[in-house]
Amino acid sequence: MTRPITLFTGQWADLPFEEVARLAGEWGFDGLEIACWGDHLDVWRTVEDDEYLQNRLDILKRNNLSVYAISNHLNGQAVCDDPIDERHQGIVSARVWGDGEPEGVRTRAAEELKMTARAAARLGAKTVTGFTGSAIWKTVAMFPPVPEGMIDRGYQDFADRWNPIIDVFDEVGVRFALEVHPSEIAYDYWTAHRTLEAIGHREGFGLNFDPSHFIWQDIDPAAFLYDFRDRIYHVHIKESVTQLDGRNGRLGSHLPWGDPRRGWDFVTAGQGEVPWNRIFRMLNAIGYKGPTSVEWEDAGMNRLVGGPSALALVKSLAQIDPPDTAFDSAFATK
């Protein structure tokens, strides 16, 4: 089953978009999942400026690339987050940050996500990947004791803020894929269920599958794929490894990526603990035909080595064929 293999440009946003496209094309990627930061994509200009839109499309064409998805993870984080603070100032656009007043930031972030849907439609991409933020991630430690009503209000806040955003996605024929991830309204198996319930299982809102965040939480990524098979709108190829030696903890100890004292870390795909063979067999089983997007992140490896290395892994996994119905039929006649 042939799926497009793309490169997520988020970890390459310090480079000009044209340079990242050149590298991806030379390495043999089929397309890009374009990040809406750095100089890679300005969603407002994509919608309002035909010349800018054509420039992005021309860069892709020159490098034999297509666009299958765009990402607005960073601005999406501010839609629901509480508190809004200096961390957000470091990731959202200046347009979204404005004067930094929290509710104003949330409101502008929501408008940015609506415009992202319109930009995706103009580019011909059917999916926007990203984050939602969460008003209740701060309660994850469950102490001080968390009243049930506080959790209920958190999911209601998410629904109230995201339903109008998804209205625009529906209007332009684009889907949003939330990356199930720490700090989001959905960060594990059961919170993913509750998130979809909160938004009424709207077809315009699904999931971006990224197994790197499941490994250190001891969640089976293949089982997750099967159970959420109708909501898997996009797939990240991203890897992690646990380093639990009796001293290192799963919560990371406020240590930076690449520090050996962390209980888990990101590594180049194929060098950690993600069961890629099982995952690709499950992708075949559930009939997933969308992109497999390499999100390279590895503090211990040069990305000019890691990017092509991850691509080679995905190409090898693509050789796993879907179930052979001809074989099944022949067996049944014996």
Side-chain angles (χ1 to χ4, degrees), residues 104-123:
V105 173
R106 295 184 191 104
T107 300
R108 289 187 292 275
E111 292 304 310
E112 192 84 2
L113 267 293
K114 293 174 185 177
M115 193 60 79
T116 305
R118 298 183 181 109
R122 293 207 80 196
L123 283 162

Side-chain angles (χ1 to χ4, degrees), residues 79-100:
V79 174
C80 289
D81 260 8
D82 182 22
I84 296 287
D85 55 36
E86 61 195 282
R87 298 169 301 159
H88 299 83
Q89 186 175 13
I91 63 171
V92 303
S93 68
R95 182 171 51 227
V96 168
W97 182 254
D99 62 3

Side-chain angles (χ1 to χ4, degrees), residues 16 22 28 40 50 65 70 76 107 109-110 125 165 188 200 246 254 258 268 272 328:
R22 182 189 67 79
H40 291 196
D50 290 342
L65 298 169
I70 65 176
T107 300
I165 296 172
D188 63 9
H254 299 294
T268 298
D328 292 343

Side-chain angles (χ1 to χ4, degrees), residues 24-306:
E26 289 179 355
W27 289 335
F29 282 94
D30 299 310
L32 299 177
E33 175 191 354
I34 306 175
C36 298
W37 57 90
D39 86 329
H40 291 196
L41 193 70
D42 182 311
V43 296
W44 290 79
R45 291 185 68 188
T46 302
V47 173
E48 297 174 347
D49 184 341
D50 290 342
E51 186 176 342
Y52 177 84
L53 170 65
Q54 191 59 51
N55 173 265
R56 301 293 99 171
L57 293 173
D58 289 345
I59 290 172
L60 292 167
K61 185 177 181 180
R62 280 199 299 274
N63 292 282
N64 298 311
L65 298 169
S66 298
V67 54
Y68 295 92
I70 65 176
S71 154
N72 213 338
H73 285 67
L74 302 187
N75 289 306
Q77 186 67 40
V79 174
C80 289
D81 260 8
D82 182 22
I84 296 287
D85 55 36
E86 61 195 282
R87 298 169 301 159
H88 299 83
Q89 186 175 13
I91 63 171
V92 303
S93 68
R95 182 171 51 227
V96 168
W97 182 254
D99 62 3
E101 189 276 320
E103 192 55 31
V105 173
R106 295 184 191 104
T107 300
R108 289 187 292 275
E111 292 304 310
E112 192 84 2
L113 267 293
K114 293 174 185 177
M115 193 60 79
T116 305
R118 298 183 181 109
R122 293 207 80 196
L123 283 162
K126 295 298 185 183
T127 304
V128 170
T129 59
F131 292 151
T132 59
S134 170
I136 52 174
W137 170 253
K138 61 194 175 191
T139 70
V140 71
M142 299 300 287
F143 191 87
V146 184
E148 184 176 349
M150 188 175 184
I151 304 302
D152 293 340
R153 290 192 298 274
Y155 282 97
Q156 187 61 55
D157 176 76
F158 153 72
D160 291 344
R161 294 181 187 277
W162 276 88
N163 269 314
I165 296 172
I166 303 305
D167 287 343
V168 176
F169 275 77
D170 290 346
E171 180 184 305
V172 299
V174 175
R175 305 183 300 184
F176 182 78
L178 165 64
E179 185 168 337
V180 179
H181 183 287
S183 80
E184 308 313 315
I185 196 67
Y187 58 87
D188 63 9
Y189 182 95
W190 295 113
T191 55
H193 270 293
R194 185 155 185 186
T195 295
L196 295 174
E197 290 169 359
I199 207 163
H201 295 276
R202 297 183 61 167
E203 289 189 10
F205 187 97
L207 305 176
N208 175 51
F209 172 78
D210 185 332
S212 67
H213 307 295
F214 297 156
I215 295 304
W216 63 273
Q217 294 187 74
D218 293 325
I219 296 170
D220 184 332
F224 187 97
L225 277 174
Y226 184 79
D227 288 358
F228 291 96
R229 56 193 177 277
D230 63 332
R231 290 295 158 151
I232 303 299
Y233 291 172
H234 193 263
V235 169
H236 270 175
I237 305 300
K238 190 175 183 184
E239 182 90 51
S240 62
V241 63
T242 55
Q243 303 168 149
L244 302 168
D245 62 359
R247 298 177 301 239
N248 300 351
R250 292 185 189 274
L251 298 184
S253 309
H254 299 294
L255 295 168
W257 305 116
D259 192 306
R261 296 171 295 170
R262 286 185 57 87
W264 68 277
D265 211 341
F266 293 123
V267 292
T268 298
Q271 299 191 10
E273 298 170 19
V274 172
W276 291 114
N277 189 290
R278 287 183 58 228
I279 285 171
F280 270 71
R281 288 175 183 272
M282 185 61 76
L283 290 173
N284 289 339
I286 66 175
Y288 176 76
K289 298 178 181 178
T292 46
S293 185
V294 171
E295 183 184 4
W296 179 86
E297 192 168 346
D298 186 339
M301 178 179 280
N302 187 312
R303 63 185 173 183
L304 297 179
V305 176

